Amino acid sequence: MAEAEPVIRAVLPDANVPASIRSTGVPVVHGSASDLGPVLDTMARRACRRDRLRHRRSHVPGDVPRPVADPELSKGLEFDLVVLIDPEAFGRGIEGAVDRYVAMTRATQQLVILTSS
């Protein structure tokens, strides 16, 4: 993923960053952390349309399964949609960059990066 490569290169310029074999043509979405609710609602509507289900906005926490994992636990896993909230808070230096890179590359269809600043 082109968006993730500079994250690693910033701390490890000579890193052997693998070339992405997957491209959906869907651009990475950047926005404010306050947009989390609308982003999830939009993605749920798209999934319902795709799966021909009727969309219902849930106001009950936990009503819709939304896996949440930190970068360390998500290694090796893939998700259609990945929403990162304040990825700079994952840490500094090499460890933080690796965690951001891992989190960004878990998306198979759509990556959304939301920041508080």
Side-chain angles (χ1 to χ4, degrees):
M1 164 178 294
E3 184 99 9
E5 184 176 348
V7 170
I8 287 292
R9 295 243 184 255
V11 293
L12 294 170
D14 298 328
N16 182 14
V17 180
S20 179
I21 60 169
R22 183 183 306 117
S23 175
T24 62
V26 177
V28 175
V29 173
H30 293 269
S32 170
S34 63
D35 295 334
L36 178 60
V39 164
L40 293 178
D41 195 40
T42 297
M43 296 304 163
R45 273 197 310 275
R46 286 182 188 164
C48 288
R49 262 196 313 268
R50 181 190 66 230
D51 299 334
R52 296 183 181 180
L53 301 172
R54 199 174 72 143
H55 176 260
R56 178 179 56 86
R57 173 78 169 133
S58 173
H59 296 285
V60 179
D63 191 35
V64 177
R66 293 181 184 132
V68 176
D70 61 32
E72 186 175 318
L73 294 176
S74 68
K75 285 183 181 176
L77 301 176
E78 294 182 328
F79 304 94
D80 289 345
L81 169 65
V82 171
V83 178
L84 301 182
I85 303 171
D86 291 326
E88 293 300 318
F90 292 175
R92 296 179 184 254
I94 294 173
E95 186 176 338
V98 168
D99 283 349
R100 281 188 291 284
Y101 177 83
V102 166
M104 292 171 81
T105 58
R106 302 303 89 206
T108 61
Q109 301 292 317
Q110 176 77 56
L111 174 63
V112 178
I113 300 174
L114 304 176
T115 57
S116 295
S117 54

